[in-house]
Amino acid sequence: MTCWSDMAYDALERITSFLPLKDYHRFSAVCKNWRLVAKQKRHSPAPQLPWLVLGDEPGTGKRMFYNLSEDKHYAMDIPELYGRYICGSSHGWLVAIDIKLTGILINPFTREFYELPLFPHYNIGLSSTSIFENALMDYRDVAGQCIEDIQVSIVQKAILSHDPKERPDFMLMILVGISVPAFWKPGDSSWTVIRVTVPGIKDVIYFDGHFYFLTNKNALLFLDFQPDPKVHDIRSPRIRLRRRTAQSYLVNYFGNLLLVERWDQFCVKKRHYKTCYFNILRLDFEKEKVYRSKTIGEAAIFLGTNDSIVINPNELVPGCKYKCKTKSIYFTDVTRALCIQKFDMGIFNTSEKTFSTFYPPEIHHTRVGAPIWFTPNPW
């Protein structure tokens, strides 16, 4: 009878391709041979549902994560994240800011990280759009500001062009301050700020080899790096804003660019705004048209301050597949409130137009900012 530890390497490698992350690590702990197979990393863990990055565990400083597939919390000891605000999630990497207002780009599983240059200066209290192009100033010299307020307001979103492990020439794009775009790449000693003539950029995505930006009024902008980085207005397809949106997101839906609008309404009893609907638009650049979609098919979309994530449940292992609600938008974000910050989290079924929850009542919120979706990338 063949010993389990003596199984052929190709068979063991094939087995690892069907394992979710937690079972992959259990596999590597069985014996020396299995651990060697796991370390070869020829097969990543099978696709799984995203996790939520939460706050610090009280009393320990460990970072809390919520595994949606298992409906389970994990406390991970990651000293590099102690006291840091997570402002971005992309390709399994996190962008985090500490109370000294310095930032890092880190993979919390491998603990690899890049120290980021000082963030571009910005005007915290800017309200006039007439001086938008000259809106950057030194936030470190602003008196009377709570450090946590500054910490959470420096970067509105951060995404990567590529996984740093796959492309060492990746770029990190951030929306700083009142959503001024700036990018950094390894070797740069400072951020490159991209001047724009319109205020209020709501979202950014790296799609089809380019960065696209979305403004408050649903104007779509395109970043051209030649000869110098400059943003251009894409005039077709023209997107009409049907109503004021709480937030808009750009989503790469299996090679198609979607614009997803999150609408809200004021809840008198709770004295804050609450998400009431999602409007889905598909942008067709060839035909220069915008199509309204009633549903997102069998997929699931995860929206928030993270780089938008799209999941095909059919590609998940059975244990994860049945946990994923199809035709649904999982969302977590900060919503408007009177004097206090409120989090808005839930699931919107695009077919039935109904809302439900995905998290237990005792879920740990972050100290500042909303929980953020994160796809574990242990390599």
Side-chain angles (χ1 to χ4, degrees):
M1 182 177 179
T2 303
C3 178
W4 284 103
S5 61
D6 294 332
M7 287 183 64
Y9 268 44
D10 56 350
L12 291 172
E13 287 177 355
R14 181 61 175 166
I15 290 173
T16 62
S17 67
F18 294 97
L19 299 178
L21 180 62
K22 61 183 179 65
D23 291 333
Y24 199 101
H25 285 286
R26 291 167 182 164
F27 174 96
S28 66
V30 170
C31 64
K32 182 178 179 180
N33 286 343
W34 288 31
R35 184 161 53 253
L36 290 174
V37 172
K39 287 185 175 181
Q40 287 180 352
K41 304 175 184 177
R42 294 183 182 178
H43 294 283
S44 295
Q48 59 185 310
L49 293 175
W51 293 21
L52 275 180
V53 185
L54 307 173
D56 295 339
E57 184 181 48
T60 69
K62 294 181 179 179
R63 179 65 60 162
M64 297 297 300
F65 292 82
Y66 176 64
N67 185 337
L68 185 61
S69 300
E70 298 180 285
D71 190 17
K72 183 177 180 181
H73 290 91
Y74 287 95
M76 297 175 59
D77 191 13
I78 309 173
E80 294 86 352
L81 292 181
Y82 288 175
R84 288 186 183 260
Y85 163 61
I86 308 299
C87 63
S89 166
S90 184
H91 292 281
W93 293 67
L94 303 174
V95 177
I97 303 173
D98 66 11
I99 60 173
K100 295 181 180 179
L101 307 183
T102 61
I104 60 170
L105 172 67
I106 183 172
N107 183 325
F109 277 86
T110 66
R111 302 279 292 277
E112 296 174 274
F113 70 92
Y114 295 83
E115 292 186 355
L116 302 176
L118 288 176
F119 292 106
H121 308 162
Y122 72 93
N123 187 337
I124 296 174
L126 181 71
S127 58
S128 172
T129 59
S130 62
I131 57 171
F132 185 73
E133 286 191 284
N134 300 313
L136 300 180
M137 63 173 286
D138 193 345
Y139 50 79
R140 293 179 296 275
D141 290 338
V142 178
Q145 291 286 337
C146 172
I147 190 65
E148 290 184 357
D149 291 341
I150 300 177
Q151 186 182 7
V152 73
S153 64
I154 291 179
V155 178
Q156 305 304 316
K157 192 158 190 174
I159 69 167
L160 292 165
S161 62
H162 304 89
D163 182 347
K165 293 294 290 184
E166 297 180 359
R167 288 280 298 270
D169 59 342
F170 70 91
M171 279 193 234
L172 175 62
M173 180 70 68
I174 62 173
L175 300 181
V176 64
I178 55 167
S179 299
V180 176
F183 69 87
W184 169 87
K185 55 184 185 296
D188 289 353
S189 59
S190 62
W191 295 87
T192 299
V193 176
I194 303 167
R195 299 291 180 178
V196 292
T197 57
V198 292
I201 291 180
K202 280 197 166 186
D203 201 22
V204 57
I205 191 173
Y206 188 77
F207 175 78
D208 198 24
H210 302 283
F211 284 104
Y212 290 86
F213 303 94
L214 186 71
T215 72
N216 283 334
K217 296 185 177 180
N218 278 3
L220 198 62
L221 308 178
F222 166 83
L223 177 59
D224 185 4
F225 283 96
Q226 300 297 332
D228 297 308
K230 188 176 182 181
V231 168
H232 300 279
D233 186 358
I234 299 177
R235 302 194 176 277
S236 292
R238 178 60 64 190
I239 309 163
R240 294 183 179 179
L241 194 62
R242 295 179 57 193
R243 58 172 285 179
R244 186 198 58 76
T245 62
Q247 177 63 36
S248 296
Y249 310 88
L250 293 172
V251 179
N252 183 351
Y253 184 83
F254 305 116
N256 293 296
L257 187 59
L258 300 184
L259 191 163
V260 180
E261 299 174 331
R262 179 168 65 86
W263 299 350
D264 64 7
Q265 63 183 11
F266 187 70
C267 178
V268 177
K269 185 176 181 180
K270 295 184 177 181
R271 297 177 64 80
H272 68 84
Y273 286 83
K274 188 174 181 61
T275 299
C276 64
Y277 190 74
F278 283 88
N279 190 42
I280 306 162
L281 305 173
R282 180 171 64 85
L283 312 183
D284 190 326
F285 294 105
E286 291 185 2
K287 296 183 180 180
E288 299 184 350
K289 292 185 177 181
V290 178
Y291 299 94
R292 185 170 180 268
S293 299
K294 295 182 178 180
T295 182
I296 58 171
E298 296 301 312
I301 297 177
F302 295 79
L303 301 178
T305 53
N306 54 284
D307 197 355
S308 301
I309 301 169
V310 179
I311 295 291
N312 179 358
N314 293 325
E315 296 179 353
L316 301 174
V317 293
C320 296
K321 178 179 179 180
Y322 302 122
K323 287 278 189 177
C324 182
K325 294 188 177 182
T326 61
K327 307 176 184 177
S328 297
I329 295 173
Y330 290 71
F331 63 96
T332 170
D333 216 331
V334 177
T335 190
R336 296 177 296 158
L338 298 182
C339 302
I340 58 174
Q341 181 174 250
K342 286 288 186 179
F343 304 119
D344 200 1
M345 304 170 64
I347 306 173
F348 177 70
N349 186 297
T350 60
S351 178
E352 300 175 359
K353 314 302 180 189
T354 57
F355 286 88
S356 60
T357 60
F358 62 83
Y359 56 93
E362 67 273 14
I363 195 167
H364 298 266
H365 289 304
T366 53
R367 176 171 50 83
V368 285
I372 186 171
W373 293 112
F374 162 74
T375 302
N377 180 2
W379 314 135

mmCIF file of all heavy atoms in Angstrom, residues 310-335:
data_model
loop_
_atom_site.group_PDB
_atom_site.id
_atom_site.type_symbol
_atom_site.label_atom_id
_atom_site.label_comp_id
_atom_site.label_asym_id
_atom_site.label_seq_id
_atom_site.Cartn_x
_atom_site.Cartn_y
_atom_site.Cartn_z
ATOM 1 N N VAL A 310 -14.687 41.090 -9.219
ATOM 2 C CA VAL A 310 -15.778 40.334 -9.848
ATOM 3 C C VAL A 310 -15.475 38.849 -9.712
ATOM 4 O O VAL A 310 -14.373 38.396 -10.035
ATOM 5 C CB VAL A 310 -15.945 40.699 -11.335
ATOM 6 C CG1 VAL A 310 -17.074 39.881 -11.967
ATOM 7 C CG2 VAL A 310 -16.232 42.195 -11.490
ATOM 8 N N ILE A 311 -16.451 38.086 -9.226
ATOM 9 C CA ILE A 311 -16.287 36.661 -8.990
ATOM 10 C C ILE A 311 -17.261 35.872 -9.860
ATOM 11 O O ILE A 311 -18.451 36.201 -9.929
ATOM 12 C CB ILE A 311 -16.537 36.306 -7.506
ATOM 13 C CG1 ILE A 311 -15.490 36.956 -6.612
ATOM 14 C CG2 ILE A 311 -16.560 34.791 -7.292
ATOM 15 C CD1 ILE A 311 -14.105 36.391 -6.774
ATOM 16 N N ASN A 312 -16.746 34.831 -10.525
ATOM 17 C CA ASN A 312 -17.601 33.865 -11.207
ATOM 18 C C ASN A 312 -17.760 32.665 -10.280
ATOM 19 O O ASN A 312 -16.820 31.899 -10.100
ATOM 20 C CB ASN A 312 -16.970 33.431 -12.534
ATOM 21 C CG ASN A 312 -17.817 32.405 -13.270
ATOM 22 O OD1 ASN A 312 -18.870 31.978 -12.794
ATOM 23 N ND2 ASN A 312 -17.357 31.986 -14.445
ATOM 24 N N PRO A 313 -18.921 32.481 -9.652
ATOM 25 C CA PRO A 313 -19.103 31.393 -8.677
ATOM 26 C C PRO A 313 -18.793 30.012 -9.233
ATOM 27 O O PRO A 313 -18.406 29.114 -8.479
ATOM 28 C CB PRO A 313 -20.575 31.513 -8.280
ATOM 29 C CG PRO A 313 -20.920 32.942 -8.550
ATOM 30 C CD PRO A 313 -20.126 33.305 -9.780
ATOM 31 N N ASN A 314 -18.944 29.826 -10.537
ATOM 32 C CA ASN A 314 -18.682 28.514 -11.134
ATOM 33 C C ASN A 314 -17.208 28.131 -11.071
ATOM 34 O O ASN A 314 -16.860 26.961 -11.236
ATOM 35 C CB ASN A 314 -19.163 28.486 -12.583
ATOM 36 C CG ASN A 314 -20.671 28.576 -12.686
ATOM 37 O OD1 ASN A 314 -21.387 28.046 -11.841
ATOM 38 N ND2 ASN A 314 -21.162 29.255 -13.709
ATOM 39 N N GLU A 315 -16.330 29.120 -10.859
ATOM 40 C CA GLU A 315 -14.898 28.844 -10.769
ATOM 41 C C GLU A 315 -14.449 28.565 -9.336
ATOM 42 O O GLU A 315 -13.300 28.197 -9.113
ATOM 43 C CB GLU A 315 -14.108 30.027 -11.330
ATOM 44 C CG GLU A 315 -14.342 30.264 -12.826
ATOM 45 C CD GLU A 315 -13.569 31.451 -13.347
ATOM 46 O OE1 GLU A 315 -12.960 32.167 -12.516
ATOM 47 O OE2 GLU A 315 -13.562 31.668 -14.570
ATOM 48 N N LEU A 316 -15.345 28.749 -8.381
ATOM 49 C CA LEU A 316 -15.000 28.526 -6.983
ATOM 50 C C LEU A 316 -15.097 27.044 -6.629
ATOM 51 O O LEU A 316 -15.849 26.294 -7.246
ATOM 52 C CB LEU A 316 -15.948 29.316 -6.072
ATOM 53 C CG LEU A 316 -15.983 30.835 -6.247
ATOM 54 C CD1 LEU A 316 -17.075 31.433 -5.373
ATOM 55 C CD2 LEU A 316 -14.641 31.456 -5.921
ATOM 56 N N VAL A 317 -14.333 26.638 -5.635
ATOM 57 C CA VAL A 317 -14.458 25.272 -5.132
ATOM 58 C C VAL A 317 -15.833 25.152 -4.477
ATOM 59 O O VAL A 317 -16.405 26.146 -4.015
ATOM 60 C CB VAL A 317 -13.344 24.933 -4.125
ATOM 61 C CG1 VAL A 317 -12.003 24.890 -4.816
ATOM 62 C CG2 VAL A 317 -13.319 25.933 -2.982
ATOM 63 N N PRO A 318 -16.421 23.929 -4.429
ATOM 64 C CA PRO A 318 -17.784 23.773 -3.922
ATOM 65 C C PRO A 318 -18.034 24.428 -2.572
ATOM 66 O O PRO A 318 -19.071 25.046 -2.349
ATOM 67 C CB PRO A 318 -17.936 22.248 -3.843
ATOM 68 C CG PRO A 318 -17.043 21.737 -4.920
ATOM 69 C CD PRO A 318 -15.861 22.663 -4.928
ATOM 70 N N GLY A 319 -17.088 24.319 -1.635
ATOM 71 C CA GLY A 319 -17.291 24.905 -0.319
ATOM 72 C C GLY A 319 -17.497 26.406 -0.359
ATOM 73 O O GLY A 319 -18.249 26.963 0.437
ATOM 74 N N CYS A 320 -16.821 27.076 -1.324
ATOM 75 C CA CYS A 320 -16.975 28.523 -1.460
ATOM 76 C C CYS A 320 -18.147 28.866 -2.374
ATOM 77 O O CYS A 320 -18.845 29.860 -2.161
ATOM 78 C CB CYS A 320 -15.700 29.144 -2.033
ATOM 79 S SG CYS A 320 -14.242 28.978 -0.982
ATOM 80 N N LYS A 321 -18.356 28.030 -3.381
ATOM 81 C CA LYS A 321 -19.372 28.310 -4.393
ATOM 82 C C LYS A 321 -20.740 28.520 -3.778
ATOM 83 O O LYS A 321 -21.466 29.453 -4.133
ATOM 84 C CB LYS A 321 -19.406 27.177 -5.408
ATOM 85 C CG LYS A 321 -20.464 27.324 -6.491
ATOM 86 C CD LYS A 321 -20.412 26.167 -7.473
ATOM 87 C CE LYS A 321 -21.485 26.309 -8.535
ATOM 88 N NZ LYS A 321 -21.452 25.177 -9.501
ATOM 89 N N TYR A 322 -21.114 27.660 -2.843
ATOM 90 C CA TYR A 322 -22.457 27.725 -2.280
ATOM 91 C C TYR A 322 -22.605 28.841 -1.255
ATOM 92 O O TYR A 322 -23.710 29.131 -0.810
ATOM 93 C CB TYR A 322 -22.821 26.369 -1.673
ATOM 94 C CG TYR A 322 -22.742 25.253 -2.693
ATOM 95 C CD1 TYR A 322 -21.916 24.155 -2.501
ATOM 96 C CD2 TYR A 322 -23.478 25.326 -3.878
ATOM 97 C CE1 TYR A 322 -21.826 23.141 -3.448
ATOM 98 C CE2 TYR A 322 -23.392 24.319 -4.831
ATOM 99 C CZ TYR A 322 -22.567 23.229 -4.614
ATOM 100 O OH TYR A 322 -22.476 22.242 -5.565
ATOM 101 N N LYS A 323 -21.482 29.469 -0.890
ATOM 102 C CA LYS A 323 -21.528 30.613 0.013
ATOM 103 C C LYS A 323 -21.742 31.919 -0.750
ATOM 104 O O LYS A 323 -22.076 32.950 -0.158
ATOM 105 C CB LYS A 323 -20.222 30.716 0.802
ATOM 106 C CG LYS A 323 -20.039 29.661 1.883
ATOM 107 C CD LYS A 323 -20.768 30.060 3.153
ATOM 108 C CE LYS A 323 -20.407 29.125 4.292
ATOM 109 N NZ LYS A 323 -21.052 29.540 5.556
ATOM 110 N N CYS A 324 -21.515 31.877 -2.053
ATOM 111 C CA CYS A 324 -21.558 33.085 -2.880
ATOM 112 C C CYS A 324 -22.953 33.280 -3.460
ATOM 113 O O CYS A 324 -23.490 32.395 -4.119
ATOM 114 C CB CYS A 324 -20.532 32.983 -4.005
ATOM 115 S SG CYS A 324 -20.457 34.445 -5.060
ATOM 116 N N LYS A 325 -23.526 34.439 -3.234
ATOM 117 C CA LYS A 325 -24.835 34.749 -3.784
ATOM 118 C C LYS A 325 -24.662 35.358 -5.175
ATOM 119 O O LYS A 325 -24.005 36.385 -5.331
ATOM 120 C CB LYS A 325 -25.588 35.708 -2.864
ATOM 121 C CG LYS A 325 -25.930 35.082 -1.514
ATOM 122 C CD LYS A 325 -26.845 35.972 -0.688
ATOM 123 C CE LYS A 325 -27.228 35.278 0.612
ATOM 124 N NZ LYS A 325 -28.164 36.081 1.422
ATOM 125 N N THR A 326 -25.237 34.715 -6.165
ATOM 126 C CA THR A 326 -25.098 35.173 -7.544
ATOM 127 C C THR A 326 -26.018 36.362 -7.818
ATOM 128 O O THR A 326 -26.908 36.671 -7.029
ATOM 129 C CB THR A 326 -25.424 34.034 -8.522
ATOM 130 O OG1 THR A 326 -26.786 33.606 -8.322
ATOM 131 C CG2 THR A 326 -24.499 32.848 -8.284
ATOM 132 N N LYS A 327 -25.754 37.019 -8.942
ATOM 133 C CA LYS A 327 -26.541 38.179 -9.382
ATOM 134 C C LYS A 327 -26.542 39.280 -8.321
ATOM 135 O O LYS A 327 -27.486 40.064 -8.236
ATOM 136 C CB LYS A 327 -27.990 37.770 -9.698
ATOM 137 C CG LYS A 327 -28.127 36.622 -10.676
ATOM 138 C CD LYS A 327 -29.570 36.215 -10.850
ATOM 139 C CE LYS A 327 -29.675 34.996 -11.761
ATOM 140 N NZ LYS A 327 -31.073 34.529 -11.908
ATOM 141 N N SER A 328 -25.481 39.319 -7.514
ATOM 142 C CA SER A 328 -25.489 40.190 -6.349
ATOM 143 C C SER A 328 -24.283 41.111 -6.280
ATOM 144 O O SER A 328 -23.203 40.792 -6.781
ATOM 145 C CB SER A 328 -25.556 39.354 -5.070
ATOM 146 O OG SER A 328 -26.762 38.614 -5.011
ATOM 147 N N ILE A 329 -24.489 42.252 -5.627
ATOM 148 C CA ILE A 329 -23.436 43.213 -5.347
ATOM 149 C C ILE A 329 -23.209 43.238 -3.839
ATOM 150 O O ILE A 329 -24.111 43.576 -3.065
ATOM 151 C CB ILE A 329 -23.817 44.619 -5.841
ATOM 152 C CG1 ILE A 329 -23.943 44.634 -7.367
ATOM 153 C CG2 ILE A 329 -22.778 45.647 -5.391
ATOM 154 C CD1 ILE A 329 -24.475 45.945 -7.929
ATOM 155 N N TYR A 330 -22.007 42.842 -3.421
ATOM 156 C CA TYR A 330 -21.605 42.948 -2.027
ATOM 157 C C TYR A 330 -20.946 44.319 -1.864
ATOM 158 O O TYR A 330 -20.006 44.646 -2.596
ATOM 159 C CB TYR A 330 -20.593 41.865 -1.665
ATOM 160 C CG TYR A 330 -21.131 40.446 -1.614
ATOM 161 C CD1 TYR A 330 -21.495 39.765 -2.768
ATOM 162 C CD2 TYR A 330 -21.240 39.779 -0.399
ATOM 163 C CE1 TYR A 330 -21.970 38.457 -2.723
ATOM 164 C CE2 TYR A 330 -21.701 38.466 -0.332
ATOM 165 C CZ TYR A 330 -22.072 37.811 -1.503
ATOM 166 O OH TYR A 330 -22.533 36.515 -1.453
ATOM 167 N N PHE A 331 -21.399 45.097 -0.907
ATOM 168 C CA PHE A 331 -20.851 46.447 -0.784
ATOM 169 C C PHE A 331 -20.517 46.783 0.660
ATOM 170 O O PHE A 331 -21.130 46.292 1.601
ATOM 171 C CB PHE A 331 -21.829 47.486 -1.345
ATOM 172 C CG PHE A 331 -23.153 47.565 -0.620
ATOM 173 C CD1 PHE A 331 -23.365 48.508 0.375
ATOM 174 C CD2 PHE A 331 -24.189 46.695 -0.938
ATOM 175 C CE1 PHE A 331 -24.572 48.579 1.046
ATOM 176 C CE2 PHE A 331 -25.409 46.763 -0.265
ATOM 177 C CZ PHE A 331 -25.604 47.699 0.725
ATOM 178 N N THR A 332 -19.506 47.594 0.817
ATOM 179 C CA THR A 332 -19.114 48.140 2.116
ATOM 180 C C THR A 332 -18.475 49.489 1.861
ATOM 181 O O THR A 332 -17.530 49.610 1.081
ATOM 182 C CB THR A 332 -18.143 47.206 2.860
ATOM 183 O OG1 THR A 332 -17.620 47.892 3.991
ATOM 184 C CG2 THR A 332 -16.992 46.765 1.986
ATOM 185 N N ASP A 333 -19.018 50.513 2.498
ATOM 186 C CA ASP A 333 -18.507 51.855 2.249
ATOM 187 C C ASP A 333 -18.955 52.772 3.380
ATOM 188 O O ASP A 333 -19.754 52.378 4.238
ATOM 189 C CB ASP A 333 -19.021 52.383 0.903
ATOM 190 C CG ASP A 333 -17.993 53.238 0.190
ATOM 191 O OD1 ASP A 333 -17.170 53.864 0.887
ATOM 192 O OD2 ASP A 333 -18.014 53.286 -1.055
ATOM 193 N N VAL A 334 -18.446 53.972 3.361
ATOM 194 C CA VAL A 334 -18.863 54.993 4.325
ATOM 195 C C VAL A 334 -20.019 55.758 3.718
ATOM 196 O O VAL A 334 -19.963 56.168 2.562
ATOM 197 C CB VAL A 334 -17.709 55.950 4.655
ATOM 198 C CG1 VAL A 334 -18.181 57.045 5.602
ATOM 199 C CG2 VAL A 334 -16.542 55.194 5.256
ATOM 200 N N THR A 335 -21.086 55.923 4.479
ATOM 201 C CA THR A 335 -22.226 56.680 3.990
ATOM 202 C C THR A 335 -22.354 57.986 4.770
ATOM 203 O O THR A 335 -21.766 58.148 5.844
ATOM 204 C CB THR A 335 -23.532 55.868 4.121
ATOM 205 O OG1 THR A 335 -24.587 56.551 3.424
ATOM 206 C CG2 THR A 335 -23.928 55.681 5.570
#
